[in-house]
Amino acid sequence: MKIIASLVLYRHSQADIEKTLESLSSEQSIDKICIVDNGGHCGWLEGLRHPKIEVIRLAVNRGFGSGHNAVFQKFNQDCDYILVCNPDISFTTGQVDKLYSFSMQRQTGLSIPKVVYPDGSLQHGCKLLPTPWQLFVRRFGSSLADKMNQDYELRQADYSCSFFAPSLSGCFMLISRQALQKTGGFDERFFLYLEDVDLSRRVCTSALPVEYCPGSTVVHESQRRSYRDIKFLMYHVFSAVRYFNKWGWFLDTDRDALNTRCLSELPQARNV
């Protein structure tokens, strides 16, 4: 198979994912859509019938990464790539096919398309690896965040060109069989948030290409629940602590090297 799409749900209704399923099922390069019922709360999946869809039910919700890992473990040997997809994604027909062609041509370990908001404005799905200060300022220091984000979110990049970035958004990422074999998938110590940053940097250090694909575009509603819900804010804080405990808080030579490489290779937008 070419691509198996992985979709992790937690208390979602069928209406919540209708546009996502419609988008995924229309792609020729997607041979299977694997829906993970994380915690067993989506009883309506019993009546869902589609030749491409398969359901995995997990009795306990151990987090976003753990849900996708269940798909990785079951299907990694059966396809070229697995597509990690959020349930609030939609796109026009052919966008995954374009991303797949790009990824096969470049033999990428990890790639993402251009990600936009519903109004068409750019989401910055390509980033540098964060420092503790950057994450703190982005979340709590709004007056300083905009200036800091110029570099951190690679706002100066020419998004009409492909380029390397050490951190790619987990809302819609295409990861190869080889990359999964080398990394083992998501680190399940991250229940929610920063699991995509952690996986991205591990693919970067596996000697497989990590690239942004400019020829494919998807729409992401991006609920940003950690800005509205204290529970999700705490998930974010706990994940940040785990991330920096793992990779280093202030001394992280791999982070510095990957960020320097990204900035030195980055195609610059003409209006910057």
Side-chain angles (χ1 to χ4, degrees):
M1 290 186 282
K2 295 179 180 178
I3 294 175
I4 294 175
S6 177
L7 191 64
V8 173
L9 306 184
Y10 179 71
R11 298 185 184 275
H12 289 81
S13 70
Q14 187 168 355
D16 290 335
I17 67 166
E18 186 175 359
K19 289 192 293 185
T20 305
L21 284 182
E22 182 179 349
S23 297
L24 293 172
S25 61
S26 67
E27 297 300 281
Q28 293 183 1
S29 57
I30 295 179
D31 296 292
K32 184 184 290 292
I33 303 166
C34 190
I35 300 177
V36 179
D37 184 1
N38 221 359
H41 301 289
C42 300
W44 56 268
L45 286 168
E46 295 284 352
L48 187 63
R49 297 290 182 269
H50 190 284
K52 283 189 175 183
I53 292 176
E54 180 170 334
V55 176
I56 295 177
R57 290 178 176 82
L58 301 180
V60 178
N61 176 15
R62 293 192 171 90
F64 175 88
S66 179
H68 286 293
N69 279 350
V71 180
F72 298 163
Q73 291 159 10
K74 185 171 183 178
F75 295 112
N76 179 36
Q77 301 300 321
D78 301 332
C79 58
D80 297 325
Y81 286 89
I82 289 182
L83 176 65
V84 172
C85 179
N86 274 20
D88 54 357
I89 292 281
S90 61
F91 49 86
T92 58
T93 301
Q95 299 307 313
V96 175
D97 297 340
K98 293 175 185 176
L99 181 61
Y100 175 73
S101 295
F102 171 90
S103 300
M104 287 295 289
Q105 180 182 10
R106 307 220 177 195
Q107 291 295 291
T108 59
L110 186 65
S111 61
I112 65 167
K114 179 184 291 185
V115 182
V116 299
Y117 291 103
D119 66 2
S121 59
L122 179 69
Q123 283 187 36
H124 295 89
C126 304
K127 298 182 180 69
L128 298 178
L129 295 174
T131 65
W133 173 242
Q134 284 169 328
L135 287 191
F136 178 82
V137 168
R138 277 168 56 80
R139 186 57 187 81
F140 300 107
S142 58
S143 61
L144 299 174
D146 189 66
K147 183 176 181 180
M148 179 174 290
N149 282 339
Q150 292 297 320
D151 275 346
Y152 177 64
E153 293 186 339
L154 305 178
R155 293 184 182 181
Q156 71 274 38
D158 183 352
Y159 279 83
S160 68
C161 303
S162 62
F163 57 83
F164 161 76
S167 174
L168 300 182
S169 171
C171 74
F172 199 83
M173 53 168 47
L174 194 64
I175 183 166
S176 72
R177 179 175 65 249
Q178 293 81 4
L180 288 172
Q181 290 169 347
K182 289 189 175 186
T183 63
F186 288 110
D187 184 336
E188 296 186 13
R189 286 176 291 181
F190 301 98
F191 183 83
L192 189 65
Y193 301 114
L194 287 154
E195 67 285 310
D196 51 352
V197 180
D198 173 80
L199 180 59
S200 292
R201 72 178 290 167
R202 285 188 287 122
V203 178
C204 287
T205 57
S206 72
L208 292 169
V210 173
E211 289 197 54
Y212 157 75
C213 168
S216 172
T217 303
V218 301
V219 178
H220 180 214
E221 294 186 13
S222 188
Q223 298 178 10
R224 303 187 75 186
R225 294 185 67 175
S226 69
Y227 286 79
R228 299 181 287 105
D229 187 319
I230 186 64
K231 180 175 74 172
F232 285 85
L233 172 60
M234 296 313 297
Y235 286 150
H236 209 157
V237 171
F238 292 149
S239 287
V241 170
R242 291 186 179 106
Y243 176 86
F244 292 116
N245 282 345
K246 177 178 180 177
W247 294 104
W249 284 77
F250 303 105
L251 180 62
D252 184 349
T253 55
D254 287 340
R255 174 183 64 205
D256 296 342
L258 288 168
N259 286 350
T260 298
R261 174 191 162 193
C262 173
L263 293 173
S264 67
E265 297 177 0
L266 199 68
Q268 299 287 317
R270 292 183 180 181
N271 60 347
V272 173

